[in-house]
Short mmCIF file of all heavy atoms in Angstrom, two decimals:
data_model
loop_
_atom_site.label_atom_id
_atom_site.label_comp_id
_atom_site.label_asym_id
_atom_site.label_seq_id
_atom_site.Cartn_x
_atom_site.Cartn_y
_atom_site.Cartn_z
N ASP G 1 33.69 6.48 -107.71
CA ASP G 1 33.14 7.62 -106.97
C ASP G 1 33.77 7.68 -105.58
O ASP G 1 33.65 6.73 -104.80
CB ASP G 1 31.62 7.44 -106.85
CG ASP G 1 30.95 8.67 -106.24
OD1 ASP G 1 31.67 9.57 -105.77
OD2 ASP G 1 29.71 8.71 -106.24
N PRO G 2 34.44 8.78 -105.22
CA PRO G 2 35.07 8.87 -103.89
C PRO G 2 34.08 9.20 -102.79
O PRO G 2 34.47 9.25 -101.61
CB PRO G 2 36.09 9.99 -104.07
CG PRO G 2 35.50 10.86 -105.11
CD PRO G 2 34.75 9.95 -106.04
N GLY G 3 32.85 9.46 -103.11
CA GLY G 3 31.85 9.77 -102.08
C GLY G 3 31.46 11.24 -102.08
O GLY G 3 32.15 12.10 -102.64
N THR G 4 30.34 11.51 -101.43
CA THR G 4 29.78 12.86 -101.42
C THR G 4 30.71 13.87 -100.76
O THR G 4 30.78 15.03 -101.18
CB THR G 4 28.42 12.87 -100.69
OG1 THR G 4 27.55 11.92 -101.31
CG2 THR G 4 27.78 14.24 -100.73
N MET G 5 31.44 13.46 -99.72
CA MET G 5 32.33 14.39 -99.03
C MET G 5 33.37 14.98 -99.98
O MET G 5 33.83 16.11 -99.78
CB MET G 5 33.01 13.70 -97.85
CG MET G 5 32.07 13.34 -96.72
SD MET G 5 32.96 12.62 -95.32
CE MET G 5 33.95 14.00 -94.79
N THR G 6 33.73 14.21 -101.00
CA THR G 6 34.71 14.71 -101.96
C THR G 6 34.03 15.37 -103.16
O THR G 6 34.41 16.48 -103.56
CB THR G 6 35.62 13.57 -102.44
OG1 THR G 6 36.35 13.05 -101.33
CG2 THR G 6 36.60 14.06 -103.50
N THR G 7 33.04 14.70 -103.74
CA THR G 7 32.41 15.25 -104.95
C THR G 7 31.70 16.57 -104.67
O THR G 7 31.67 17.46 -105.52
CB THR G 7 31.42 14.24 -105.54
OG1 THR G 7 30.46 13.88 -104.54
CG2 THR G 7 32.13 13.00 -106.04
N PHE G 8 31.10 16.70 -103.47
CA PHE G 8 30.47 17.96 -103.10
C PHE G 8 31.44 18.86 -102.35
O PHE G 8 31.51 20.07 -102.59
CB PHE G 8 29.24 17.70 -102.22
CG PHE G 8 28.49 18.96 -101.86
CD1 PHE G 8 27.42 19.39 -102.63
CD2 PHE G 8 28.84 19.71 -100.75
CE1 PHE G 8 26.72 20.53 -102.31
CE2 PHE G 8 28.15 20.87 -100.41
CZ PHE G 8 27.08 21.27 -101.19
N GLY G 9 32.23 18.27 -101.45
CA GLY G 9 33.08 19.07 -100.57
C GLY G 9 34.23 19.75 -101.27
O GLY G 9 34.59 20.90 -100.94
N LEU G 10 34.84 19.08 -102.24
CA LEU G 10 36.01 19.69 -102.90
C LEU G 10 35.63 20.97 -103.65
O LEU G 10 36.27 22.01 -103.42
CB LEU G 10 36.68 18.67 -103.83
CG LEU G 10 38.04 19.09 -104.40
CD1 LEU G 10 38.94 17.87 -104.61
CD2 LEU G 10 37.89 19.84 -105.71
N PRO G 11 34.64 20.96 -104.53
CA PRO G 11 34.29 22.22 -105.20
C PRO G 11 33.74 23.26 -104.24
O PRO G 11 33.97 24.46 -104.41
CB PRO G 11 33.25 21.81 -106.24
CG PRO G 11 32.73 20.49 -105.77
CD PRO G 11 33.85 19.83 -105.06
N ALA G 12 33.03 22.81 -103.20
CA ALA G 12 32.50 23.77 -102.22
C ALA G 12 33.63 24.46 -101.48
O ALA G 12 33.62 25.69 -101.30
CB ALA G 12 31.58 23.05 -101.24
N LEU G 13 34.64 23.69 -101.07
CA LEU G 13 35.78 24.30 -100.38
C LEU G 13 36.60 25.16 -101.33
O LEU G 13 37.13 26.20 -100.93
CB LEU G 13 36.66 23.21 -99.77
CG LEU G 13 36.29 22.74 -98.37
CD1 LEU G 13 37.28 21.71 -97.88
CD2 LEU G 13 36.25 23.91 -97.39
N ARG G 14 36.72 24.73 -102.57
CA ARG G 14 37.47 25.54 -103.53
C ARG G 14 36.78 26.89 -103.75
O ARG G 14 37.45 27.94 -103.79
CB ARG G 14 37.60 24.80 -104.86
CG ARG G 14 38.52 25.48 -105.86
CD ARG G 14 38.62 24.71 -107.16
NE ARG G 14 39.44 25.41 -108.13
CZ ARG G 14 40.72 25.13 -108.39
NH1 ARG G 14 41.31 24.15 -107.74
NH2 ARG G 14 41.39 25.83 -109.29
N ALA G 15 35.46 26.88 -103.87
CA ALA G 15 34.73 28.14 -104.01
C ALA G 15 34.89 29.00 -102.76
O ALA G 15 35.05 30.23 -102.85
CB ALA G 15 33.25 27.85 -104.27
N THR G 16 34.86 28.38 -101.60
CA THR G 16 35.08 29.12 -100.35
C THR G 16 36.47 29.75 -100.33
O THR G 16 36.65 30.90 -99.91
CB THR G 16 34.91 28.19 -99.15
OG1 THR G 16 33.60 27.61 -99.17
CG2 THR G 16 35.10 28.94 -97.85
N ALA G 17 37.46 29.00 -100.81
CA ALA G 17 38.83 29.53 -100.85
C ALA G 17 38.92 30.73 -101.78
O ALA G 17 39.56 31.74 -101.47
CB ALA G 17 39.80 28.44 -101.31
N TRP G 18 38.26 30.63 -102.95
CA TRP G 18 38.28 31.77 -103.88
C TRP G 18 37.64 32.99 -103.25
O TRP G 18 38.15 34.12 -103.40
CB TRP G 18 37.54 31.41 -105.16
CG TRP G 18 38.32 30.61 -106.15
CD1 TRP G 18 37.97 29.40 -106.69
CD2 TRP G 18 39.59 30.93 -106.73
NE1 TRP G 18 38.94 28.96 -107.56
CE2 TRP G 18 39.94 29.88 -107.61
CE3 TRP G 18 40.46 32.01 -106.59
CZ2 TRP G 18 41.12 29.89 -108.33
CZ3 TRP G 18 41.65 32.01 -107.32
CH2 TRP G 18 41.96 30.96 -108.17
N LEU G 19 36.52 32.80 -102.56
CA LEU G 19 35.83 33.95 -101.98
C LEU G 19 36.64 34.55 -100.83
O LEU G 19 36.70 35.78 -100.68
CB LEU G 19 34.44 33.53 -101.50
CG LEU G 19 33.34 34.58 -101.69
CD1 LEU G 19 33.21 34.96 -103.16
CD2 LEU G 19 32.02 34.10 -101.16
N CYS G 20 37.27 33.70 -100.04
CA CYS G 20 38.14 34.22 -98.96
C CYS G 20 39.35 34.95 -99.54
O CYS G 20 39.78 35.99 -99.02
CB CYS G 20 38.59 33.08 -98.05
SG CYS G 20 37.28 32.38 -97.02
N ALA G 21 39.92 34.41 -100.62
CA ALA G 21 41.04 35.08 -101.28
C ALA G 21 40.60 36.43 -101.84
O ALA G 21 41.34 37.42 -101.78
CB ALA G 21 41.60 34.20 -102.39
N ALA G 22 39.37 36.48 -102.38
CA ALA G 22 38.85 37.75 -102.88
C ALA G 22 38.65 38.74 -101.74
O ALA G 22 38.99 39.93 -101.87
CB ALA G 22 37.52 37.51 -103.60
N LEU G 23 38.12 38.28 -100.62
CA LEU G 23 37.92 39.15 -99.47
C LEU G 23 39.25 39.70 -98.97
O LEU G 23 39.36 40.88 -98.60
CB LEU G 23 37.20 38.40 -98.35
CG LEU G 23 36.93 39.19 -97.07
CD1 LEU G 23 36.10 40.42 -97.35
CD2 LEU G 23 36.23 38.30 -96.03
N ALA G 24 40.30 38.87 -98.97
CA ALA G 24 41.62 39.32 -98.53
C ALA G 24 42.16 40.38 -99.48
O ALA G 24 42.55 41.48 -99.05
CB ALA G 24 42.58 38.14 -98.45
N ALA G 25 42.18 40.09 -100.78
CA ALA G 25 42.73 41.05 -101.74
C ALA G 25 41.91 42.33 -101.77
O ALA G 25 42.46 43.44 -101.79
CB ALA G 25 42.78 40.42 -103.13
N GLY G 26 40.58 42.19 -101.76
CA GLY G 26 39.73 43.38 -101.80
C GLY G 26 39.84 44.23 -100.56
O GLY G 26 39.80 45.47 -100.64
N SER G 27 40.01 43.61 -99.41
CA SER G 27 40.14 44.37 -98.17
C SER G 27 41.47 45.11 -98.12
O SER G 27 41.55 46.25 -97.64
CB SER G 27 40.01 43.43 -96.96
OG SER G 27 38.72 42.87 -96.90
N PHE G 28 42.54 44.48 -98.62
CA PHE G 28 43.82 45.18 -98.70
C PHE G 28 43.74 46.34 -99.69
O PHE G 28 44.30 47.42 -99.44
CB PHE G 28 44.94 44.22 -99.10
CG PHE G 28 45.36 43.28 -98.01
CD1 PHE G 28 45.53 41.93 -98.27
CD2 PHE G 28 45.61 43.74 -96.73
CE1 PHE G 28 45.93 41.05 -97.28
CE2 PHE G 28 46.01 42.88 -95.72
CZ PHE G 28 46.16 41.52 -95.99
N LEU G 29 43.08 46.13 -100.82
CA LEU G 29 42.89 47.22 -101.77
C LEU G 29 42.10 48.35 -101.13
O LEU G 29 42.42 49.53 -101.32
CB LEU G 29 42.14 46.70 -103.01
CG LEU G 29 41.79 47.74 -104.08
CD1 LEU G 29 43.05 48.24 -104.77
CD2 LEU G 29 40.82 47.17 -105.10
N PHE G 30 41.10 47.99 -100.35
CA PHE G 30 40.26 48.99 -99.67
C PHE G 30 41.09 49.81 -98.68
O PHE G 30 41.06 51.04 -98.68
CB PHE G 30 39.12 48.27 -98.96
CG PHE G 30 38.21 49.18 -98.17
CD1 PHE G 30 37.17 49.84 -98.80
CD2 PHE G 30 38.40 49.37 -96.82
CE1 PHE G 30 36.33 50.69 -98.08
CE2 PHE G 30 37.57 50.21 -96.09
CZ PHE G 30 36.53 50.87 -96.73
N SER G 31 41.85 49.13 -97.82
CA SER G 31 42.61 49.84 -96.79
C SER G 31 43.78 50.62 -97.36
O SER G 31 44.25 51.59 -96.76
CB SER G 31 43.11 48.86 -95.73
OG SER G 31 43.95 47.87 -96.30
N ALA G 32 44.27 50.21 -98.56
CA ALA G 32 45.42 50.89 -99.15
C ALA G 32 45.01 52.06 -100.04
O ALA G 32 45.65 53.12 -100.00
CB ALA G 32 46.26 49.90 -99.95
N PHE G 33 43.95 51.90 -100.85
CA PHE G 33 43.69 52.88 -101.89
C PHE G 33 42.27 53.44 -101.94
O PHE G 33 42.04 54.41 -102.65
CB PHE G 33 44.01 52.26 -103.26
CG PHE G 33 45.46 51.89 -103.43
CD1 PHE G 33 45.84 50.57 -103.55
CD2 PHE G 33 46.44 52.86 -103.43
CE1 PHE G 33 47.17 50.22 -103.69
CE2 PHE G 33 47.78 52.54 -103.57
CZ PHE G 33 48.14 51.20 -103.70
N LEU G 34 41.32 52.84 -101.23
CA LEU G 34 39.95 53.35 -101.31
C LEU G 34 39.60 54.33 -100.20
O LEU G 34 38.75 55.19 -100.38
CB LEU G 34 38.95 52.18 -101.32
CG LEU G 34 39.04 51.23 -102.51
CD1 LEU G 34 37.87 50.27 -102.52
CD2 LEU G 34 39.13 51.97 -103.83
N ILE G 35 40.23 54.18 -99.03
CA ILE G 35 40.01 55.16 -97.96
C ILE G 35 41.37 55.68 -97.50
O ILE G 35 42.36 54.94 -97.53
CB ILE G 35 39.23 54.56 -96.77
CG1 ILE G 35 40.00 53.39 -96.15
CG2 ILE G 35 37.83 54.15 -97.18
CD1 ILE G 35 39.40 52.90 -94.84
N PRO G 36 41.45 56.92 -97.05
CA PRO G 36 42.75 57.49 -96.65
C PRO G 36 43.14 57.03 -95.25
O PRO G 36 42.28 56.81 -94.38
CB PRO G 36 42.50 58.99 -96.68
CG PRO G 36 41.03 59.13 -96.40
CD PRO G 36 40.37 57.94 -97.03
N PRO G 37 44.45 56.91 -94.99
CA PRO G 37 44.91 56.61 -93.63
C PRO G 37 45.04 57.91 -92.84
O PRO G 37 44.72 59.00 -93.33
CB PRO G 37 46.28 55.97 -93.89
CG PRO G 37 46.77 56.67 -95.12
CD PRO G 37 45.55 56.95 -95.97
N ARG G 38 45.54 57.79 -91.62
CA ARG G 38 45.80 58.97 -90.79
C ARG G 38 47.21 59.45 -91.08
O ARG G 38 48.17 58.78 -90.76
CB ARG G 38 45.63 58.64 -89.31
CG ARG G 38 44.20 58.27 -88.91
CD ARG G 38 44.11 57.92 -87.45
NE ARG G 38 44.93 56.74 -87.14
CZ ARG G 38 45.18 56.30 -85.92
NH1 ARG G 38 44.70 56.94 -84.88
NH2 ARG G 38 45.91 55.22 -85.72
N ARG G 39 47.33 60.63 -91.66
CA ARG G 39 48.64 61.16 -92.05
C ARG G 39 49.18 62.08 -90.97
O ARG G 39 48.44 62.76 -90.26
CB ARG G 39 48.54 61.93 -93.36
CG ARG G 39 48.35 61.06 -94.58
CD ARG G 39 48.49 61.90 -95.84
NE ARG G 39 47.36 62.78 -96.04
CZ ARG G 39 47.44 64.06 -96.39
NH1 ARG G 39 48.62 64.62 -96.54
NH2 ARG G 39 46.36 64.78 -96.56
N THR G 40 50.52 62.11 -90.90
CA THR G 40 51.19 63.04 -89.99
C THR G 40 52.06 64.03 -90.74
O THR G 40 52.63 64.92 -90.13
CB THR G 40 52.06 62.26 -88.99
OG1 THR G 40 53.01 61.46 -89.72
CG2 THR G 40 51.21 61.36 -88.11
N GLY G 41 52.18 63.87 -92.07
CA GLY G 41 53.02 64.75 -92.87
C GLY G 41 52.42 64.98 -94.24
O GLY G 41 51.22 64.78 -94.46
N ASP G 42 53.28 65.38 -95.19
CA ASP G 42 52.81 65.68 -96.53
C ASP G 42 52.59 64.43 -97.38
O ASP G 42 51.93 64.51 -98.42
CB ASP G 42 53.83 66.59 -97.25
CG ASP G 42 53.94 67.95 -96.59
OD1 ASP G 42 52.96 68.38 -95.96
OD2 ASP G 42 55.03 68.56 -96.68
N ASP G 43 53.18 63.31 -96.96
CA ASP G 43 53.00 62.09 -97.74
C ASP G 43 52.51 60.98 -96.83
O ASP G 43 52.10 61.22 -95.70
CB ASP G 43 54.29 61.70 -98.47
CG ASP G 43 55.45 61.48 -97.51
OD1 ASP G 43 55.21 61.14 -96.32
OD2 ASP G 43 56.61 61.64 -97.93
N LEU G 44 52.56 59.75 -97.34
CA LEU G 44 51.99 58.61 -96.62
C LEU G 44 53.05 57.77 -95.91
O LEU G 44 52.71 56.74 -95.34
CB LEU G 44 51.21 57.73 -97.60
CG LEU G 44 50.02 58.42 -98.27
CD1 LEU G 44 49.47 57.57 -99.41
CD2 LEU G 44 48.93 58.72 -97.25
N ASN G 45 54.28 58.19 -95.94
CA ASN G 45 55.32 57.47 -95.22
C ASN G 45 55.13 57.69 -93.72
O ASN G 45 55.10 58.82 -93.24
CB ASN G 45 56.70 57.95 -95.66
CG ASN G 45 57.00 57.56 -97.09
OD1 ASN G 45 57.06 56.39 -97.42
ND2 ASN G 45 57.17 58.55 -97.96
#
C-alpha cells in the first residue's frame, strides 16, 4: 500500500484532470460554435 495520498489522491487528481479537460474542450466549442463572434464582414475571417 503506497498510502492514502496515492490511493485516494491519484484517482481524485485524475478525475479533476478529466473535468478540467472537459471544461477546456467544452469552452472552446462554446466560443467557436455555440455563440457568434463579432463580425466585420460577410464571413468569420
